Amino acid sequence: MTDTTLPTPGLRSTLRHLWQDQRVWLASALILAALAVFDAPQAAGSAIFAGNALLNTAPFLILSIAIAAWANATGADNLIAKAFTGAPILMIGLGALAGGISPFCSCGVIPLIAALLAMGVPLSAVMAFWLASPIMDPSMFVLTAGVLDLEFAVAKTVAAIGLGVFGGTVVHLMIKGGAFADPLRDGVGNGGCGGAKIRAPKPVVWRFWADADRRARFGKTALTTTLFLAKWLTLAFILESLMLAWIPAETVTAALGGEGLLPIVTATLVGVPAYLNGYAALPLVGGLIEQGMAPGAGMAFLVAGGVTSIPAAMAVWALARPQVFAVYIGLSLTGAFASGLLFQLWTSMT
């Protein structure tokens, strides 16, 4: 009589729960293990890349995590949420403006997004901030002006704010139609999409460290947010390293040459999966523009790549429900194309 090789029901249940609870960490481990078997140098390179990327984003992550934990521990989150009540269009405009000038990267802003939605801040205002933030920040503005020119930097800033206003307005209209009753995934937060879900403000305890319960709340929020970000960003940076290694930047950007409407469409579509946004893409796009690529195509590529880069898109997927993610991608595509087209029309008139 032979022994069965099938796992016992208890073991199967344990493995199933392990996959459900730790599937993101396991996915990262499996990718690195497969690379170690088939391409050991790339496995080491991806691990080092992910580690360096996490270290580089650590200042933004620590600041945003601390703000989220502080707001929860003191009760200030209620006041922040209350500040977002009022005229929806005004809140959308303020959210887009804050996103366009904030110093947070697409990864570092995620804890703030989660906290705002959990507080009950309307999804329309949060979406405006969410869309605008990855495209431009103060350091990006300076570098864009230096590598390309001041006109391009200003136009990219306007594109960021404009995309935020556009996306926030679309979401607001969808909410009025009954969409997005609960935008966050289960276990991420307890916020809703409308102002009616903003909790009634309670007294704020600024010196939260004097209260044991509030200290515990601070620690729990900080730990939960850190673990949530760490697992998703690790996977995102590993995937990013593979795209950068296997799809050379020159190959992607070389496909964006030419003039007319087609390069703008192509740049928008290529910019979605290709992680060539930000600082590294600027000299490449600048070189192609000097060689004759339409400026509008360069703008569309940078905007699409910024909003839908792997870390930003995966963070949205991890945080929000699939319907919100789909709208996020759709708004990114539409906004990137519109930004490129409008910038091309502007440059043709000047």
Side-chain angles (χ1 to χ4, degrees):
M1 183 175 179
T2 59
D3 293 330
T4 180
T5 58
L6 295 176
T8 64
L11 180 57
R12 287 200 300 270
S13 177
T14 300
L15 293 175
R16 183 169 61 253
H17 285 299
L18 178 63
W19 173 252
Q20 291 175 348
D21 296 338
Q22 305 297 335
R23 61 182 180 275
V24 180
W25 286 120
L26 291 174
S28 298
L30 289 173
I31 292 173
L32 291 177
L35 288 173
V37 173
F38 297 104
D39 190 350
Q42 183 58 49
S46 293
I48 294 173
F49 180 92
N52 289 335
L54 288 171
L55 288 176
N56 291 334
T57 58
F60 298 104
L61 295 176
I62 292 172
L63 177 59
S64 54
I65 290 169
I67 292 174
W70 168 82
N72 183 267
T74 60
D77 53 358
N78 294 285
L79 297 180
I80 297 172
K82 188 179 180 181
F84 274 83
T85 59
I89 300 302
L90 177 60
M91 294 301 101
I92 291 170
L94 291 176
L97 180 61
I101 63 176
S102 70
F104 294 105
C105 64
S106 58
C107 307
V109 78
I110 296 304
L112 295 180
I113 296 297
L116 289 172
L117 289 174
M119 295 168 201
V121 173
L123 179 61
S124 55
V126 176
M127 182 63 76
F129 181 78
W130 208 339
L131 287 168
S133 183
I135 300 174
M136 183 58 71
D137 58 56
S139 58
M140 176 67 73
F141 181 91
V142 173
L143 188 61
T144 302
V147 175
L148 298 174
D149 56 43
L150 181 60
E151 182 184 40
F152 202 104
V154 173
K156 193 162 181 272
T157 304
V158 173
I161 298 173
L163 178 54
V165 172
F166 166 72
T169 303
V170 170
V171 170
H172 173 67
L173 295 176
M174 294 179 70
I175 290 172
K176 291 183 68 175
F180 309 131
D182 189 4
L184 290 175
R185 289 182 181 270
D186 293 336
V188 175
N190 62 352
C193 65
K197 291 199 175 184
I198 296 178
R199 300 186 294 271
K202 298 179 181 179
V204 178
V205 180
W206 300 112
R207 298 171 60 88
F208 72 91
W209 54 86
D211 187 303
D213 291 338
R214 291 181 180 271
R215 288 199 306 270
R217 190 187 306 173
F218 179 91
K220 181 179 179 180
T221 303
L223 178 61
T224 301
T225 306
T226 301
L227 293 177
F228 173 82
L229 285 172
K231 66 181 182 181
W232 282 103
L233 291 181
T234 298
L235 177 59
F237 287 136
I238 290 174
L239 295 177
E240 178 191 339
S241 72
L242 296 180
M243 291 195 70
L244 292 175
W246 295 343
I247 308 177
E250 294 81 1
T251 301
V252 177
T253 54
L256 306 179
E259 298 180 355
L261 191 63
L262 182 59
I264 299 177
V265 176
T266 304
T268 301
L269 297 176
V270 172
V272 171
Y275 186 72
L276 295 176
N277 65 300
Y279 305 100
L282 289 175
L284 294 171
V285 172
L288 286 174
I289 291 177
E290 291 179 358
Q291 295 174 13
M293 184 181 75
M299 178 66 72
F301 180 74
L302 291 176
V303 172
V307 182
T308 60
S309 67
I310 292 176
M314 288 192 67
V316 178
W317 176 259
L319 189 64
R321 295 186 182 276
Q323 299 91 330
V324 178
F325 178 80
V327 171
Y328 177 87
I329 296 298
L331 292 172
S332 303
L333 281 169
T334 306
F337 174 75
S339 298
L341 183 61
L342 291 174
F343 186 61
Q344 186 63 35
L345 291 174
W346 169 260
T347 55
S348 65
M349 293 186 300
T350 58

